[in-house]
Amino acid sequence: MNRPELIQKETTNRLDPVTFEVLKNGFINLVDQMAEQILRTCYSFVIYNRDFSCALCDAEGNTVMQGTQDISVHVGTLHLTAKAVLEDFGDDIHPGDAFLVNDPYRGGTHFNDTRVVLPVFHDDRLIAFMQTNGHWADMGGTTPGSFDVTAKEHYGEGVRIPPVRIYSKGGYLADVVNLIALNMRVPEERIGDLRSQVEAAKVGQTQLLEIIRKYGLETTLIAFEEVQDYVERLAKTKIKSLPKGTWETVDYIDMDPELGDGLIPIQVKMTISDEEILYDLTGSHPYIGCFLNSGFGASLSATYAGTKTFFPAIPLNSGFYRVVKVILPENSVVNAPSPIAVTGFCSGTFEKIMNACFELWSNIMPERALACSFNLEYLLIGGNDLRNEQNQYFMWYDWMAGGHGGRYDRDGANATSPVFGVGLSVQPCEGQERLSPVITTKHEIITDSAGPGKYRGGCGVEKGGVLTEIKNTVMSYCCDRSRSLTWGIFGGLPSYPHGAWLNPGKEDEQFLGTIFSNVEVKSGDSFVRPSAGGGGLGDALERDVEAVLEDVIDEYVSVERARKDYGVVIKEIDRDLDLFEIDYEATKREREFIRNNRKKWLELDPVIVEKQFQDGEIDKLDVIRRFGVIMDYATNKVLLKSTEQFRQSLGKRSLTYWK
């Protein structure tokens, strides 16, 4: 099996509890100090908004500690990056060296996530590695931002960097760095971020050597092992308390552009035994003809992150990886080989694996249940900024907040960072407008975007903008779930489709979908895109009617959808004064009507639903939530195969739980 061997070790505690706790927390503080250095010195607005991670690894490359706000996908792969450096350079690693790597086929994620690996020596003995990983806003390639959805191989996605030395015995290798950076847009920003990451790694090195000065080398190295063993013991203790058996589910990517209609399945089977958790993704679709595939490292990390969400009290390091094992079939969408394109893994495979894990664990640990959350998305605009005489190249690189899934005993979180990386900040519009010729025209919660349920999902957000003084500018978008919609569990309903519109409300309005690259734009063009809400948890007809009323008052739910989705009939008296009235008798009748018909609605011929939508008899949310039909909103035509798969998903996750 193509995965690193993680050896389980039987150990006894060699440090007294006080020293252990002091050093464990000292390692956390060390990594957080590295993060603080990046925030204060980085050049890229993307990195400044926390699309980065740091880690302390031991001399074998195993992760000892991560930071408190790190991006989940990064952390689960950093040990693989350190091991790749060791594999390539072996004994040819010296004090003062530093290495750069972004290779997704060597344990990385995608080319943008570029890692600095700094070896740490004590008296000429290699004792650790410091890692800083930042998302560089451009890596070259055919598309500004390096997200080319048409790429089938990585050659169009930017510079692939295997482990390469950028500092040699303290000397900066400017020729090597220039060779890399000058193949990217805005190279001065790339070099600035590189230096920021190097200096942050040096902060970690200084902090570690200070710990060693105070506590001694051997005690510190023992603490490296003890921290990992501690996490392993915690995880095994928790596993022993869980039911044993096998659970499985499937989630989907929207499509393979080469195949057209049809969702792309990602199969996830989880087996819990006495001392380990095994994920088997055998049966997942072969890799597809666009960049939404995932390499081995990123898919491995998705299982770690999906599992860790349900074990918040257990720290994450290589001790955790010893008890979570993963089988990833080769040549599949979850383990694409070089040179298959994988840059869009973050919007494609990664969060599908995470949400599938959420569903499996929700059945095992219902007290922590969580429905599907909205999909990570990136909108990228690159070109020449005419606001200055130099017509400098600009990169507007944006991601959105959205809704998390409904939870065991409460609604999902509104307008929250994606599960891909909850440490991500929502980029401030003021900063974006100062740096780029793009003005934000709206940024607001979307009414009715939350998946209905006894506990509804969190609400999504709509963000719009207009392009000002630009030339030679193109727009690209990386997203998913316009067809494999954000789903509910235990009877809950789905959310809202993703997608981007160019020039909405104008004669040349165009729905561009969820993945596109190099769409030419000009000054005065506008755009808008929504993020989905989270899926609902539990039957929406069991939601407390007073809670529905509160949602209507807060404009999370419209009066119309309160009736259609929740069966709650509300009369608006005065919107400005938040005066509404529930008709309890009509609500009772409406809920009974929905109960008697909702299974039939899911069996209605999709072609009839298409006609009703085109004639304006029903709206988009009726199509999705009542009839379970998937459409191409660029043509308003039904997608029959995707509809069949989506209805199967609804049957399993929703219909089965309806009374």
Side-chain angles (χ1 to χ4, degrees):
M1 183 169 56
N2 181 23
R3 61 181 176 84
E5 292 297 324
L6 301 176
I7 302 172
Q8 296 189 26
K9 297 182 287 186
E10 295 295 331
T11 63
T12 57
N13 294 332
R14 289 175 285 168
L15 298 179
D16 67 86
V18 173
T19 302
F20 172 78
E21 282 295 324
V22 168
L23 289 175
K24 175 170 70 72
N25 289 288
F27 298 153
I28 295 172
N29 180 67
L30 176 157
V31 181
D32 283 345
Q33 289 290 321
M34 295 162 65
E36 189 66 24
Q37 178 72 15
I38 289 178
L39 282 174
R40 292 174 183 271
T41 60
C42 65
Y43 279 50
S44 166
F45 201 55
V46 173
I47 294 179
Y48 179 74
N49 284 278
R50 300 208 70 95
D51 198 346
F52 69 86
S53 299
C54 306
L56 163 65
C57 298
D58 65 20
E60 296 176 355
N62 301 308
T63 299
V64 175
M65 195 57 65
Q66 67 174 90
T68 54
Q69 294 191 60
D70 284 332
I71 305 302
S72 58
V73 62
H74 297 172
V75 175
T77 62
L78 293 179
H79 63 294
L80 301 177
T81 309
K83 290 176 185 295
V85 170
L86 282 166
E87 182 180 323
D88 283 13
F89 288 90
D91 294 332
D92 188 20
I93 300 175
H94 311 282
D97 286 355
F99 302 88
L100 196 68
V101 57
N102 75 347
D103 195 336
Y105 312 104
R106 298 288 302 280
T109 50
H110 57 191
F111 295 134
N112 299 77
D113 288 339
T114 307
R115 293 103 189 273
V116 167
V117 183
L118 181 78
V120 180
F121 286 80
H122 184 273
D123 293 337
D124 293 327
R125 175 184 175 185
L126 177 63
I127 59 169
F129 290 95
M130 299 296 167
Q131 276 203 77
T132 56
N133 178 29
H135 182 113
W136 290 12
D138 186 271
M139 300 301 295
T142 56
T143 301
S146 309
F147 277 63
D148 185 354
V149 304
T150 65
K152 297 178 183 178
E153 297 181 332
H154 74 69
Y155 306 112
E157 296 186 292
V159 179
R160 178 182 178 183
I161 309 171
V164 60
R165 202 188 316 261
I166 55 171
Y167 279 79
S168 178
K169 299 179 181 178
Y172 176 58
L173 303 181
D175 53 346
V176 176
V177 172
N178 288 336
L179 175 64
I180 295 170
L182 291 177
N183 282 284
M184 304 171 187
R185 297 167 182 88
V186 198
E188 62 275 9
E189 186 176 281
R190 308 288 79 77
I191 294 174
D193 287 334
L194 168 63
R195 288 185 176 275
S196 173
Q197 290 177 233
V198 170
E199 292 306 312
K202 289 181 179 178
V203 167
Q205 174 181 252
T206 299
Q207 293 288 325
L208 179 60
L209 294 176
E210 177 62 23
I211 289 173
I212 291 172
R213 185 193 65 79
K214 186 172 183 179
Y215 291 93
L217 176 62
E218 293 309 314
T219 297
T220 303
L221 296 182
I222 289 171
F224 282 1
E225 297 180 22
E226 289 281 288
V227 167
Q228 295 176 63
D229 294 343
Y230 165 74
V231 169
E232 180 183 9
R233 289 195 303 273
L234 282 180
K236 285 184 175 180
T237 299
K238 184 63 179 177
I239 290 170
K240 288 178 180 178
S241 70
L242 297 172
K244 307 302 182 286
T246 298
W247 296 261
E248 55 187 309
T249 190
V250 61
D251 202 355
Y252 300 94
I253 295 173
D254 279 351
M255 64 173 173
D256 181 341
E258 293 185 339
L259 300 178
D261 182 19
L263 307 179
I264 303 302
I266 296 174
Q267 300 279 349
V268 181
K269 179 165 66 174
M270 179 178 70
T271 299
I272 301 177
S273 58
D274 287 338
E275 291 196 331
E276 74 173 27
I277 301 164
L278 173 66
Y279 289 99
D280 186 350
L281 279 70
T282 300
S284 297
H285 197 278
Y287 60 77
I288 60 177
C290 76
F291 73 162
L292 295 176
N293 303 290
S294 176
F296 176 87
S299 293
L300 187 72
S301 181
T303 64
Y304 296 154
T307 307
K308 179 67 174 64
T309 301
F310 281 73
F311 301 95
I314 301 178
L316 184 63
N317 63 25
S318 288
F320 193 79
Y321 309 154
R322 296 172 191 165
V323 299
V324 178
K325 307 297 179 62
V326 187
I327 298 173
L328 297 169
E330 295 182 352
N331 299 311
S332 70
V333 71
V334 299
N335 189 5
S338 171
I340 301 303
V342 296
T343 290
F345 84 97
C346 44
S347 294
T349 304
F350 184 86
E351 285 193 352
K352 307 308 186 303
I353 297 174
M354 274 196 77
N355 279 291
C357 292
F358 292 169
E359 183 182 18
L360 297 176
W361 284 106
S362 293
N363 284 282
I364 298 165
M365 302 170 65
E367 72 280 4
R368 299 196 63 85
L370 177 67
C372 185
S373 296
F374 87 104
N375 206 87
L376 173 71
E377 50 89 81
Y378 293 114
L379 184 65
L380 306 94
I381 304 172
N384 292 110
D385 184 351
L386 301 183
R387 297 177 304 168
N388 54 71
E389 294 181 359
Q390 293 79 25
N391 294 340
Q392 291 177 330
Y393 204 91
F394 78 93
M395 275 299 310
W396 191 86
Y397 193 121
D398 190 45
W399 56 80
M400 292 244 291
H404 283 206
R407 293 168 284 181
Y408 165 69
D409 60 353
R410 66 196 68 186
D411 298 334
N414 297 324
T416 303
S417 296
V419 294
F420 170 87
V422 292
L424 283 171
S425 301
V426 176
Q427 297 185 48
C429 303
E430 297 84 357
Q432 291 180 318
E433 291 173 356
R434 181 169 182 171
L435 295 169
S436 302
V438 183
I439 294 176
T440 297
T441 54
K442 66 185 306 185
H443 196 194
E444 58 190 33
I445 285 178
I446 307 171
T447 301
D448 296 325
S449 59
K454 182 176 181 180
Y455 301 102
R456 61 162 175 77
C459 291
V461 174
E462 187 170 65
K463 188 172 184 178
V466 63
L467 303 163
T468 58
E469 301 169 67
I470 61 171
K471 73 173 183 179
N472 303 327
T473 300
V474 295
M475 176 187 293
S476 302
Y477 192 49
C478 172
C479 192
D480 204 57
R481 293 210 189 276
S482 66
R483 302 179 181 182
S484 60
L485 302 179
T486 305
W487 35 264
I489 60 172
F490 302 160
L493 290 173
S495 170
Y496 189 93
H498 282 269
W501 280 260
L502 183 63
N503 294 320
K506 300 179 182 178
E507 290 185 1
D508 58 346
E509 176 183 88
Q510 184 181 2
F511 178 67
L512 298 174
T514 54
I515 51 171
F516 57 84
S517 293
N518 288 330
V519 173
E520 294 185 5
V521 289
K522 61 186 183 303
S523 296
D525 280 345
S526 59
F527 60 89
V528 69
R529 89 257 199 203
S531 65
L537 186 149
D539 189 345
L541 299 185
E542 295 179 6
R543 184 167 177 81
D544 181 78
V545 294
E546 301 293 338
V548 177
L549 175 61
E550 286 298 316
D551 283 344
V552 170
I553 292 172
D554 291 336
E555 299 186 28
Y556 296 157
V557 176
S558 67
V559 169
E560 180 184 20
R561 295 314 312 180
R563 178 178 61 83
K564 288 185 174 182
D565 293 333
Y566 296 96
V568 177
V569 180
I570 296 174
K571 179 181 178 181
E572 180 179 320
I573 299 172
D574 191 321
R575 163 61 68 180
D576 292 337
L577 297 178
D578 287 340
L579 293 179
F580 298 86
E581 183 179 89
I582 299 172
D583 187 330
Y584 289 94
E585 286 301 318
T587 293
K588 183 177 179 180
R589 292 192 299 270
E590 188 69 22
R591 286 188 159 181
E592 189 63 24
F593 169 75
I594 294 173
R595 282 193 183 95
N596 291 336
N597 289 279
R598 55 185 175 179
K599 293 183 180 180
K600 300 175 187 176
W601 291 333
L602 290 175
E603 297 173 353
L604 186 64
D605 186 340
V607 177
I608 296 175
V609 176
E610 174 192 89
K611 180 68 165 53
Q612 291 178 342
F613 177 71
Q614 292 172 346
D615 292 344
E617 298 175 22
I618 58 176
D619 63 21
K620 184 184 295 186
L621 291 178
D622 293 329
V623 170
I624 294 166
R625 294 173 183 169
R626 285 205 161 181
F627 301 102
V629 170
I630 300 300
M631 299 185 67
D632 180 348
Y633 292 104
T635 62
N636 286 338
K637 294 290 186 181
V638 68
L639 299 165
L640 293 175
K641 185 174 180 181
S642 297
T643 294
E644 179 183 0
Q645 293 168 292
F646 183 63
R647 283 181 165 180
Q648 290 173 354
S649 172
L650 276 175
K652 173 188 173 185
R653 294 181 168 114
S654 302
L655 187 148
T656 301
Y657 296 89
W658 293 342
K659 296 178 181 177

